[in-house]
Structure formats: C-alpha cells, structure tokens
Amino acid sequence: MAVATEALHRTKQFFIEIGELSTFASRFFKEVIKAPFEFKELLRQCYQLGVRSLFLVGLTGFIIGLVLTLQSRPTLIEFGAVSWMPNMVGISIVREIGPVITALICAGRIASGIGAELGSMRVTEQIDAMEVSGTNPFKYLVVTRILATTLMLPLLVVFGDLIALYGSALVENLKGNVSFQLYFNTVFGALSFGDLIPATVKSFFFGFVIGLVGCYKGYNSKKGTAGVGLAANTAVVMASLLLFMVDFIAVFISDIFYEL
C-alpha cells in the first residue's frame, strides 16, 4: 500500500512539474518578442555556453568516431563489407549518434551550470534585487540563456560530427590505407538532405530543451544552498529524459516522411 501511495505521489509530482515547465516555456515565448532585447548578454551567453563547450564536444566526438570504427571494422571484414565503413559510420553519426551524444554532453555541462548559476542567484536574492530595481530578470537571465543554447547546439553538433568523422577516417587511414579524401568523398556521397535536415532541426529542439530545463530548475530553486545542488542535479536528469523523448518524436516523424 505504501509503495502504491508513493508511486501515485511521484506520478502526481511529475505531471505538476510538466505543467509548471510548460507555463515557464510559454512565458519565454511571450518575453522573447518583447523589447528591450539583450543582444550583448545573448552574445556573452553564446560564448560561455557554446564556444567554451567546443573542446569537450570535440574530444567526445573524436573518441566516438575512433571507437565506432574500431568496433565495427572486424565485423565488416568478416562479411567482406569493409568498404561500406564510411557510409555506415557517416550516416550513423550524422543521423543519430552525433546529435544525441552532443546533446547529452551539453546537458551535463550546460544544464547543470545554468541550474547552479541561477539557483545561487535565487537563494542569495540577487534575482529579487533585480526585480526591485526595475530590471526584468526573466528577460535578462532566462531568455538570453535559452536562445543561446538553441542557437549554439546545432553548431556544436556540426562540429562534433566533423571531429567524429575525422576520428573514423584516421582509423581507416591507419588500418585500411584509405586516404582522407576518399573517405570523406564516400561519406558525403552517401549522405542526403533527408539525413541532414532532420538531424539539424532536432538539434535546435535539443538546445531549447537544455536551456529551458536548466533555467527552469535554477530560476525556481528553493531550500537555500542545498537547493542549488538539487537544481543542478535534477536539471541534468530532467534534460536528459526530455532529450530522449524529443529524439523519439523526431525519429518517428522523420520515418513518416521517409515512407511518404
């Protein structure tokens, strides 16, 4: 009985949080079209959240390209299909692996960072001070960060995909004597707009989800300094779960278009 009650309580809390997150998102869409526009803060957040993530995204992408090629190569050799390696790796990375892994890396770094930053501002009453002084803290703190993650994540995905393909090409060059030019020509020959467009579009939604969840958790942080750590932790968990849900919806819709 106690287990059922606890499960019911958690389910209720989940739907309440989804409703509050939806309200938070609707406020973002209202504020984003209103003046004044914080362009300087937006550029600063693009640098902080995007440019400073390049090394982590690039390193992760490079390792993914290496590991995927090293793991797949023996199987393809066994079936005499090693020449299909560039096609397989290129389509896998561009369609699914690159966007999802990059988004998860950014969820761990960016969502937690935003949650901790805004959470500390909330518990130290800096946000309240901004409201008293006549500044719109939601416009300055939330809108700029969500826009920055939405705009920068597709660029990070492209960067991570290229580095991952370079790592794969490096393995093929060392083990199969395949030139880099031949490898990339084969990869780009196998890709089509049907591969690139869905991956690019869902990257914008990934960035929006990461920024929205991080800002929501931090902006509504409570329970003092302990709430800051809780906001950072729950931001990562919630953003990761929503990323998988968005990815499932995107893949489902793209499959419908493929069938048409």
Side-chain angles (χ1 to χ4, degrees), residues 208-227:
F208 176 76
V209 166
I210 292 170
L212 179 69
V213 173
C215 290
Y216 166 74
K217 288 295 185 179
Y219 198 80
N220 297 299
S221 178
K222 299 175 183 178
K223 300 180 181 178
T225 54

Side-chain angles (χ1 to χ4, degrees), residues 36-50 114 117-118 121 126 130 135-149 151-152 215:
F37 303 104
E38 304 288 349
F39 289 113
K40 186 178 293 186
E41 178 64 13
L42 175 60
L43 291 176
R44 192 179 76 85
Q45 291 302 324
C46 286
Y47 174 79
Q48 293 289 339
L49 304 178
I114 293 176
E117 183 182 11
L118 296 188
M121 294 181 71
Q126 296 180 50
M130 292 177 68
T135 305
N136 185 349
F138 193 94
K139 184 82 173 181
Y140 186 81
L141 298 174
V142 175
V143 173
T144 54
R145 283 166 172 79
I146 295 178
L147 282 178
T149 55
L151 296 174
M152 294 306 295
C215 290

Side-chain angles (χ1 to χ4, degrees), residues 125-198:
E125 300 182 349
Q126 296 180 50
I127 295 178
D128 297 330
M130 292 177 68
E131 292 175 345
V132 171
S133 65
T135 305
N136 185 349
F138 193 94
K139 184 82 173 181
Y140 186 81
L141 298 174
V142 175
V143 173
T144 54
R145 283 166 172 79
I146 295 178
L147 282 178
T149 55
T150 305
L151 296 174
M152 294 306 295
L153 195 76
L155 299 179
L156 291 173
V157 168
V158 172
F159 177 75
D161 288 351
L162 291 175
I163 297 297
L165 291 175
Y166 176 79
S168 176
L170 183 63
V171 174
E172 284 296 287
N173 181 260
L174 295 176
K175 286 185 169 290
N177 295 321
V178 178
S179 67
F180 287 96
Q181 182 178 0
L182 175 59
Y183 185 91
F184 281 101
N185 285 341
T186 306
V187 168
F188 292 130
L191 295 173
S192 65
F193 284 107
D195 302 315
L196 299 175
I197 293 176

Side-chain angles (χ1 to χ4, degrees), residues 3-259:
V3 176
T5 304
E6 179 67 18
L8 183 63
H9 174 71
R10 288 184 178 275
T11 304
K12 180 181 178 181
Q13 288 298 117
F14 172 77
F15 284 108
I16 290 175
E17 192 157 35
I18 292 296
E20 292 176 348
L21 183 64
S22 302
T23 303
F24 193 82
S26 65
R27 185 180 176 186
F28 162 78
F29 287 114
K30 291 178 182 177
E31 295 285 350
V32 73
I33 59 176
K34 293 181 180 179
F37 303 104
E38 304 288 349
F39 289 113
K40 186 178 293 186
E41 178 64 13
L42 175 60
L43 291 176
R44 192 179 76 85
Q45 291 302 324
C46 286
Y47 174 79
Q48 293 289 339
L49 304 178
V51 176
R52 291 199 167 184
S53 301
L54 284 175
F55 177 76
L56 182 60
V57 170
L59 180 61
T60 304
F62 183 72
I63 294 174
I64 288 173
L66 290 177
V67 172
L68 181 61
T69 307
L70 288 172
Q71 292 284 353
S72 304
R73 187 175 174 80
T75 304
L76 293 180
I77 290 176
E78 183 178 349
F79 287 97
V82 71
S83 61
W84 288 92
M85 177 69 73
N87 305 56
M88 185 204 71
V89 173
I91 293 175
S92 299
I93 288 177
V94 171
R95 273 193 187 180
E96 192 65 25
I97 297 176
V100 172
I101 296 298
T102 301
L104 290 174
I105 292 297
C106 291
R109 181 190 181 278
I110 295 175
S112 62
I114 293 176
E117 183 182 11
L118 296 188
S120 63
M121 294 181 71
R122 172 62 74 183
V123 299
T124 56
E125 300 182 349
Q126 296 180 50
I127 295 178
D128 297 330
M130 292 177 68
E131 292 175 345
V132 171
S133 65
T135 305
N136 185 349
F138 193 94
K139 184 82 173 181
Y140 186 81
L141 298 174
V142 175
V143 173
T144 54
R145 283 166 172 79
I146 295 178
L147 282 178
T149 55
T150 305
L151 296 174
M152 294 306 295
L153 195 76
L155 299 179
L156 291 173
V157 168
V158 172
F159 177 75
D161 288 351
L162 291 175
I163 297 297
L165 291 175
Y166 176 79
S168 176
L170 183 63
V171 174
E172 284 296 287
N173 181 260
L174 295 176
K175 286 185 169 290
N177 295 321
V178 178
S179 67
F180 287 96
Q181 182 178 0
L182 175 59
Y183 185 91
F184 281 101
N185 285 341
T186 306
V187 168
F188 292 130
L191 295 173
S192 65
F193 284 107
D195 302 315
L196 299 175
I197 293 176
T200 303
V201 171
K202 71 181 180 182
S203 297
F204 284 98
F205 287 98
F206 287 167
F208 176 76
V209 166
I210 292 170
L212 179 69
V213 173
C215 290
Y216 166 74
K217 288 295 185 179
Y219 198 80
N220 297 299
S221 178
K222 299 175 183 178
K223 300 180 181 178
T225 54
V228 177
L230 182 63
N233 184 38
T234 54
V236 177
V237 176
M238 189 173 185
S240 300
L241 290 175
L242 289 178
L243 286 175
F244 286 119
M245 294 174 63
V246 171
D247 184 54
F248 170 75
I249 295 172
V251 171
F252 182 76
I253 294 175
S254 62
D255 282 344
I256 293 177
F257 281 105
Y258 281 132
E259 291 177 359

